[in-house]
Amino acid sequence: MLARAKIWARAIRQDVLALWIAARDPRTPWYAKAAAAAVAAYALSPIDLIPDFIPVLGYLDDLVIVPLGIVLVVRLIPGPLMAEYRAEAAGRSRPSSMAGMVAIGLIWVAAAVLLLWWLWPGAVS
């Protein structure tokens, strides 16, 4: 079972890199390119939307959200193109997504501002 989990994790990492490549290829349809860019940016971001130190929920995005996003985007990309992207991803190293980090940081800041606005006494009149 552990061996299967390692193989699955390796395939996920390769597919994230393949989506990163697909988001930059002009042959990818625009809607698949947008979805691939979003999934790859989030998966390659150095920070998570839900931090891993939060019990159970911290790993939910790694175990559920990212793989579901990958499955959705892989279905949007034509099969021969996806096979080409996967082959190219096998020979590349994993990049880091600063755009994903900035987007997640902005979501955290917006959530904090909304929470402060909601909790601040007398803010809503």
Side-chain angles (χ1 to χ4, degrees):
M1 179 136 148
L2 185 60
R4 280 187 10 190
K6 286 182 181 181
I7 291 170
W8 179 75
R10 194 173 300 120
I12 291 289
R13 274 185 276 163
Q14 185 177 355
D15 277 354
V16 166
L17 187 53
L19 294 183
W20 180 77
I21 295 166
R24 287 159 178 71
D25 192 328
R27 298 175 294 165
T28 304
W30 68 269
Y31 50 88
K33 189 181 288 197
V39 170
Y42 179 73
L44 296 172
S45 172
I47 59 174
D48 287 338
L49 185 60
I50 305 169
D52 290 341
F53 64 82
I54 297 174
V56 180
L57 292 178
Y59 291 105
L60 184 66
D61 63 340
D62 298 329
L63 296 175
V64 177
I65 297 171
V66 172
L68 286 178
I70 291 170
V71 167
L72 170 72
V73 177
V74 166
R75 289 181 184 210
L76 294 175
I77 298 173
L81 276 179
M82 193 62 205
E84 184 180 323
Y85 300 145
R86 283 180 174 142
E88 187 176 340
R92 284 197 179 188
S93 63
R94 185 174 187 248
S96 179
S97 173
M98 288 300 142
M101 183 179 75
V102 169
I104 291 169
L106 289 175
I107 290 170
W108 273 103
V109 168
V113 168
L114 286 173
L115 184 63
L116 283 173
W117 178 76
W118 182 60
L119 293 176
W120 199 271
V124 180
S125 302

